[in-house]
Amino acid sequence: MLKNLAPAAAILVGGVFALGLITPPASAERAVPIPPPARDLPAAQGLQTAVFAGGCFWGMEAVFEQIKGVQSVVTGYAGGSADTATYAAVTTELTGHAEAIKITYDPSRVSYGTLLRVYFSVAHDPTQLNRQGPDTGPSYRSAIFPQNAQQRAVAAAYIGQLQKAKSFGAPIVTRLEAGQFYPAEGYHQDFFRRNPDHPYIVHWDKPKVAAFRAAYPALVR
């Protein structure tokens, strides 16, 4: 989303959507074909969590809510401190936070590696440094926040695998980071579903969700 977004989420300039004439990048319209991770976590009982950052959290949330085995997705901030985990503070780009999502999933139905595959291939562009599409700044960086050592090992191995295979036309800039996740304000939660006709959603996030559904039909709930 654009910085300084009001809670009502109006991004209009003179009655015309400021980004309406910008064509979404190819990565937002079709999934990049990448192999599944060679290393993954085994199926297990009990819910697990994954925390990913990759640009505006509205679209990230919308993609992962589509996946079978995902119980819930919460938008929020990760990488900074609790006292700066607000939209007003994060948009200053001085807090260390990234816009992120926390995914609660059933590892007996969908693996951490599968979530990583969707994350890299369609949920965002892992070659863009401190930006995604129209959004710029370190709060829009590509970052994974592993919740344990096993997740960190799988994520690091997959990044190495994709780099070696030259799966993208540029180096992957995704960072593995530590930091607590803090939920975002209520008006950011389920934004895609509650605002299907919002111009930002129409131009940037609906193509991303459509790309996921076309590339991974077996994963669609």
Side-chain angles (χ1 to χ4, degrees):
M1 77 208 75
L2 295 184
K3 290 184 176 65
N4 302 319
L5 177 69
I11 311 177
L12 297 173
V13 178
V16 179
F17 179 56
L19 295 177
L21 300 180
I22 299 177
T23 302
S27 60
E29 296 174 345
R30 63 181 180 84
V32 177
I34 59 175
R39 179 177 181 177
D40 202 348
L41 297 180
Q45 297 298 314
L47 298 178
Q48 302 288 328
T49 59
V51 176
F52 301 147
C56 176
F57 44 31
W58 295 343
M60 290 277 289
E61 177 190 44
V63 169
F64 285 97
E65 283 183 334
Q66 305 279 318
I67 299 177
K68 291 177 183 176
V70 168
Q71 299 293 307
S72 66
V73 185
V74 177
T75 61
Y77 314 105
S81 60
D83 61 329
T84 58
T86 67
Y87 185 72
V90 171
T91 55
T92 68
E93 302 298 346
L94 299 174
T95 66
H97 278 296
E99 289 196 10
I101 57 169
K102 182 174 77 171
I103 305 162
T104 300
Y105 68 99
D106 181 348
S108 70
R109 300 183 61 200
V110 62
S111 73
Y112 183 69
T114 297
L115 298 179
L116 286 174
R117 190 182 188 189
V118 172
Y119 169 74
F120 281 111
S121 71
V122 69
H124 85 307
D125 181 348
T127 69
Q128 292 194 31
L129 182 64
N130 292 335
R131 67 168 299 142
Q132 284 291 311
D135 302 314
T136 61
S139 68
Y140 299 106
R141 66 188 181 271
S142 175
I144 297 169
F145 294 82
Q147 301 300 288
N148 51 51
Q150 292 76 25
Q151 285 189 0
R152 177 174 289 273
V154 168
Y158 196 32
I159 291 172
Q161 177 186 342
L162 296 175
Q163 293 278 45
K164 184 176 181 180
K166 296 183 173 15
S167 296
F168 298 91
I172 293 172
V173 298
T174 307
R175 295 161 47 179
L176 301 185
E177 300 187 28
Q180 190 167 339
F181 175 88
Y182 303 94
E185 295 82 351
Y187 65 86
H188 285 304
Q189 307 299 332
D190 294 314
F191 194 90
F192 180 97
R193 287 193 292 178
R194 293 188 295 104
N195 300 274
D197 298 322
H198 188 282
Y200 188 100
I201 297 297
V202 170
H203 283 264
W204 295 98
D205 294 336
K206 282 191 173 181
K208 186 181 295 186
V209 170
F212 162 73
R213 296 179 69 89
Y216 297 101
L219 294 180
V220 177
R221 65 167 69 248

